[in-house]
């Protein structure tokens, strides 16, 4: 077995040889004649001259060996339905969808915007686009008209694929009126709209524009649509970032590099094997959904579970905090992927649910999207008794930047660290102001990636090369490096620790403190379920830290003496861990924190509210009630 250190070294020192090897993990129509073209940094072209197709690698390729095996398992605890599509079934559905899109005028290079709940048709639409060389742009189904309109405007889709609606907690959420309104708001109008009617909510069709999938599917039931062979660098899709720090960016990805990167990550990182089942609890609206609900597992020949519903609702629509574990048992899931925010929800459930089901098939649970605090990691790791593997990446990267590659060489995880740099990523820590490289253990710097960025990484920002270069590659003086805009440190063993975003730093009386470090200290208190710390302008100290805490038992909030005692305990903890300068000026108790639709803390919004400023772009926010609580608590300071 190669050591990971050697594997990694080769990827950095001999990228051509390394990635030429990895390219063997996918099927090509035409071999490439150049592995990496980095003649025009920071732009990089992978596998020039080659031709392949993502849909071929995800679906058609498996027809030979596993046509009758499960490919897509669509489960909805919202509608109480479960349907298994084999690779052969999926091949049929994707061709029907591809034929329907073509009939609606979609050609190679055209954009198709997908605004859908977590139903099988959404995956059919993505794969159908890949099949015919159309560029998909999936917009998270939870977004309202304003956010959707700006994305329609930016992507200028020829066709939009949508549905009558979604459902959350048993309540139908109409999508169609939001879509109609978004199209009205946008100056770009799609030529056609294709709708999957789930019978959840009534919808009005616009004559001449709107078409029903049920009808087109029947028309094209026997359609045979061969895969379009695409140049390696052909755009496969665009996707927007979460919008945690501001206006979302339209990340653009290629075809071949992405296919190779996913195939390689399934082997080396996720260790998922053909014929097994992969379960990612994310949403197709996010990058994790693209890479590890749809493309990654299918490329690896695995079945993938697409789950619509809350983690706390059973198939009988009754509360069931064990639904995910029920699915793991039923479909013998071997690899699972979720987010810390979801685990924190489960943490409030009965821990006995973790031992009620047979989870012996499960080899690992991967978590990503935000910092994984140690108490949450310990709780889930002790409950599941499988390795909990943190992985750090971004919409921009498409696959993990920092984690553990147990498929290459098993290595222990360290609590609080997502791991070490993945092959292909030349990760460095740089001094924010001088750009000097920091190599000593424990030195804190900006996490950057030196080009060429590996296959699968974003090509550019959709139709805005200048914004791509200026936003990501020009932030460190004098150096052309990709900035992640996250702070990190590295320990003596080379493990990285992410300390928060570069704009989440507060300055208390001249001391620069990461809000993340203060949160980490507070979350170690036994009664704390979740916490957000922000810096608030202060006439005397410049900034002071404010902490908003969600307690495991929210009934304590009614007891002001108990709250006062808790506040004092929390402050004492921070004093002990980080020193008195880091101590929050106030600890306020709330029942929910403002988050993005993908479950990430919106510190920038909390901070604006605390300072009485306009909170700016709120389109990515999930729960307005949570923000109102912050407002109310600030008034009572
Ligand atoms: P925007 O870029 O629009 O502000 P965003 O950064 O939240 O939104 P994503 O690409 O979804 O959009 O998230 C990537 C970011 O999430 C990383 O830069 C990092 O800040 C955080 N993150 C992801 N995974 C981890 C992890 N395992 N540990 C710590 N932070 C993580
Ligand atoms: Mg980001």
């Amino acid at each position: 077995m190669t050591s990971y250190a050697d594997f990694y070294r080769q990827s950095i020192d001999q990228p051509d040889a390394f990635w030429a090897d990895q390219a063997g993990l996918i099927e090509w129509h035409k071999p490439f004649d150049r592995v990496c073209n980095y003649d025009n940094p920071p732009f990089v072209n992978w596998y020039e001259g080659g031709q392949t197709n993502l849909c071929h690698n995800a679906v058609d390729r498996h027809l030979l060996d596993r046509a009758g095996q499960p490919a897509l398992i669509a489960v909805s605890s919202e509608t109480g339905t479960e349907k298994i599509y084999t690779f052969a079934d999926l091949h049929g559905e994707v061709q029907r969808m591809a034929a329907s899109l073509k009939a609606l005028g979609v050609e190679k290079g055209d954009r198709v915007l997908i605004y859908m709940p977590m139903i099988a048709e959404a995956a059919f639409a993505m794969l159908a686009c890949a099949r015919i060389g159309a560029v998909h742009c999936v917009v998270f189904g939870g977004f309202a008209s304003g956010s959707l309109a700006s994305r329609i405007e930016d992507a200028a889709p020829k066709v939009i694929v949508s549905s009558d609606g979604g459902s959350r907690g048993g309540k139908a959420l109409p999508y169609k009126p939001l879509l109609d309104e978004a199209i009205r708001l946008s100056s770009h109008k799609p030529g056609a709209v294709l709708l999957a009617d789930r019978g959840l909510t009534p919808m009005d069709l616009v004559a001449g524009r709107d078409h029903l999938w049920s009808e087109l599917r029947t028309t094209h039931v026997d359609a045979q649509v061969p895969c379009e062979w695409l140049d390696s660098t052909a755009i496969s899709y665009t996707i927007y970032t979460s919008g945690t720090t501001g206006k979302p960016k339209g990340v653009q990805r290629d075809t071949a590099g992405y296919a190779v990167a996913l195939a390689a990550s399934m082997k080396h990182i996720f260790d998922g094997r053909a014929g097994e089942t992969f379960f990612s609890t994310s949403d197709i609206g996010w990058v994790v959904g693209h890479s590890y609900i749809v493309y990654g597992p299918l490329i690896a020949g695995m079945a993938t579970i697409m789950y619509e519903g809350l983690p706390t609702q059973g198939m009988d629509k009754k509360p069931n905090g064990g639904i995910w574990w029920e699915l793991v048992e039923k479909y013998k899931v071997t690899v699972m992927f979720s987010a810390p925010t979801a685990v924190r929800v489960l943490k409030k459930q009965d821990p006995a649910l973790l031992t009620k089901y047979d989870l012996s098939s499960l080899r690992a649970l991967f978590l990503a999207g935000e910092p994984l605090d140690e108490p949450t990691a310990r709780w889930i790791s002790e409950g599941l008794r499988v390795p909990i593997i943190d992985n750090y990446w971004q919409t921009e990267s498409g696959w993990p930047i920092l984690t553990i590659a147990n498929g290459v060489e098993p290595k222990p995880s360290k609590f609080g660290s997502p791991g070490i740099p993945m092959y292909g990523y030349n990760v460095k820590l740089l001094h924010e102001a001088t750009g000097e490289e920091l190599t000593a253990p424990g030195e804190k710097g900006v996490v950057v990636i030196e080009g060429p960025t590996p296959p699968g990484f974003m090509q550019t920002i959709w139709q805005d090369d200048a914004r791509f270069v200026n936003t990501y590659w020009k932030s460190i003086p004098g150096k052309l490096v990709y900035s992640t805009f996250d702070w990190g440190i590295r320990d003596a063993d080379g493990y990285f620790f992410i300390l928060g975003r570069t704009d989440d730093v507060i300055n208390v009386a001249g001391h620069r403190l990461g809000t993340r470090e203060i949160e980490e200290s507070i979350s170690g208190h036994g009664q704390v379920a979740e916490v957000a710390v922000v810096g608030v302008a202060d006439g005397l100290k410049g900034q002071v830290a404010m902490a908003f805490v969600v307690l495991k038992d929210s009934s304590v909030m009614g007891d002001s003496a108990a709250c006062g005692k808790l506040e004092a305990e929390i402050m004492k903890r921070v004093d002990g861990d980080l020193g008195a300068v880091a101590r929050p000026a106030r600890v306020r108790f709330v029942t929910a924190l403002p988050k993005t639709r993908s479950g990430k803390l919106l510190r920038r919004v909390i901070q604006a509210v605390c300072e009485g400023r306009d909170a700016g772009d709120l389109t990515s926010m999930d729960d307005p009630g949570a923000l109102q609580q912050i407002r109310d608590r600030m008034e009572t300071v």
Side-chain angles (χ1 to χ4, degrees), residues 309-623:
L310 302 173
T312 50
Q313 176 177 283
M315 293 303 288
D316 53 4
K317 303 189 195 173
K318 296 204 183 104
N320 176 4
I323 178 68
W324 285 353
W325 317 123
E326 193 179 311
L327 294 173
V328 169
E329 175 182 283
K330 180 163 182 188
Y331 294 105
K332 302 201 169 39
V333 171
T334 56
V335 189
M336 194 167 165
F337 194 140
S338 192
T341 183
V343 176
R344 284 186 209 109
V345 169
L346 297 175
K347 212 168 150 188
K348 294 180 194 159
Q349 309 290 314
D350 182 0
L353 289 167
L354 291 174
T355 45
K356 186 174 160 195
Y357 300 93
D358 176 7
L359 306 180
S360 56
S361 58
L362 195 64
R363 285 197 296 270
L365 169 66
F366 290 83
L367 297 173
E370 49 178 325
L372 175 61
D373 57 282
E374 188 166 335
T376 301
R378 281 196 192 280
W379 178 82
I380 188 75
S381 137
E382 281 156 19
L384 289 181
R385 276 173 264 129
V386 300
I388 304 300
I389 305 178
D390 190 0
N391 54 129
Y392 162 88
W393 46 299
Q394 307 183 308
T395 308
E396 291 86 344
S397 71
W399 60 281
I401 299 170
L402 299 172
T403 186
I404 304 288
N406 280 335
V408 180
E409 182 198 6
K411 268 190 191 290
S413 289
K414 291 193 187 187
F415 281 117
S417 163
I420 56 181
M422 284 300 98
Y423 50 90
Y425 286 103
N426 195 356
V427 184
K428 305 222 151 125
L429 291 171
L430 300 188
H431 187 280
E432 169 196 29
T434 64
E436 175 205 351
E437 189 178 345
L438 307 173
T439 48
E443 275 188 299
K444 175 173 162 184
V446 184
V447 180
V448 306
I449 301 165
E450 224 163 66
T453 48
F457 203 87
M458 75 188 292
Q459 290 180 299
T460 184
I461 290 180
W462 166 249
Q463 293 201 316
D464 204 341
D465 287 349
R467 187 174 172 210
F468 171 65
V469 177
N470 293 328
T471 304
Y472 295 110
W473 294 85
K474 291 277 174 74
S475 71
I476 308 284
K479 290 218 166 136
L480 188 72
V481 288
Y482 173 90
S483 175
T484 62
F485 297 105
D486 289 310
W487 291 111
I489 53 169
R490 185 174 27 209
D491 70 8
D493 302 326
Y495 282 66
F496 279 70
F497 293 76
I498 299 294
L499 303 176
R501 301 176 184 246
T502 51
D503 53 3
D504 285 340
V505 166
I506 61 176
N507 196 328
V508 182
H511 302 276
R512 289 166 62 74
L513 305 164
T515 48
R516 166 83 208 285
E517 295 160 85
I518 307 176
E519 286 169 3
E520 186 72 27
S521 163
I522 296 177
S523 69
H525 188 288
Q527 276 169 267
V528 173
E530 267 192 289
V531 53
V533 171
V534 296
V536 178
D538 178 88
L540 202 61
K541 297 183 176 164
Q543 275 184 314
V544 292
M546 280 287 306
F548 294 92
V549 166
V550 179
L551 293 172
K552 283 184 185 151
D553 174 10
S554 54
S555 68
V556 178
M557 282 168 65
D559 179 346
S560 63
C563 285
K565 187 170 158 268
L566 268 177
E567 179 171 20
E569 281 173 21
I570 288 171
M571 290 184 171
K572 205 167 147 229
R573 237 194 118 78
V574 177
D575 283 4
D577 290 346
L578 302 166
V581 278
R583 180 200 305 161
R586 280 283 150 67
V587 180
R588 287 283 174 252
F589 300 101
V590 290
T591 59
L593 294 167
K595 292 190 180 162
T596 62
R597 294 280 175 159
S598 48
K600 296 168 186 239
L601 266 182
L602 274 166
R603 290 194 194 76
R604 115 189 116 79
V605 169
I606 303 175
Q607 183 186 41
V609 166
C610 289
E611 294 183 343
R613 286 184 285 114
D614 174 21
D617 184 9
L618 291 180
T619 50
S620 61
M621 196 171 69
D622 192 20
D623 170 13

Side-chain angles (χ1 to χ4, degrees), residues 154-328:
D154 195 59
K158 187 165 256 179
V159 168
I160 296 181
V161 185
S162 189
S163 151
D164 57 333
S167 176
R168 197 176 154 92
K171 213 173 123 244
L173 301 171
Y175 280 24
K176 182 61 168 44
L178 301 181
L179 174 62
D180 287 340
E181 174 63 6
I183 294 175
R184 196 186 63 76
L185 291 171
S186 162
S187 69
H188 171 86
K189 312 289 178 196
V193 174
L194 179 58
L195 293 149
D197 188 359
R198 314 176 67 193
L200 278 181
T201 109
M203 59 177 171
D204 299 323
L205 298 185
V206 176
R209 187 197 74 183
D210 295 355
H211 303 263
L212 288 175
W213 162 239
S214 55
E215 288 172 10
L216 282 174
R217 183 179 179 278
T218 308
T219 311
H220 299 287
V221 73
D222 297 318
Q224 297 202 348
V225 181
C227 287
E228 185 83 40
W229 296 114
L230 302 171
D231 288 343
S232 293
T233 55
I235 308 170
S236 59
Y237 68 78
T238 66
I239 180 175
Y240 294 88
T241 55
S242 306
T244 307
T245 53
K247 188 173 173 283
K249 301 168 272 287
V251 167
Q252 174 184 314
R253 229 179 290 288
D254 73 353
T255 294
Y258 187 52
V260 172
L262 292 184
S265 72
M266 290 304 296
K267 181 169 181 214
H268 307 311
I269 301 174
F270 296 98
D271 192 17
R273 303 163 201 165
E276 299 179 345
T277 307
F278 194 99
F279 179 20
S280 162
T281 68
S282 182
D283 189 284
I284 46 146
W286 312 124
V287 69
V288 176
H290 285 61
S291 295
Y292 299 110
I293 293 177
V294 180
Y295 292 112
L298 293 177
I299 287 175
M302 297 180 82
T304 181
I305 296 181
M306 218 173 148
Y307 175 72
E308 177 188 51
L310 302 173
T312 50
Q313 176 177 283
M315 293 303 288
D316 53 4
K317 303 189 195 173
K318 296 204 183 104
N320 176 4
I323 178 68
W324 285 353
W325 317 123
E326 193 179 311
L327 294 173
V328 169

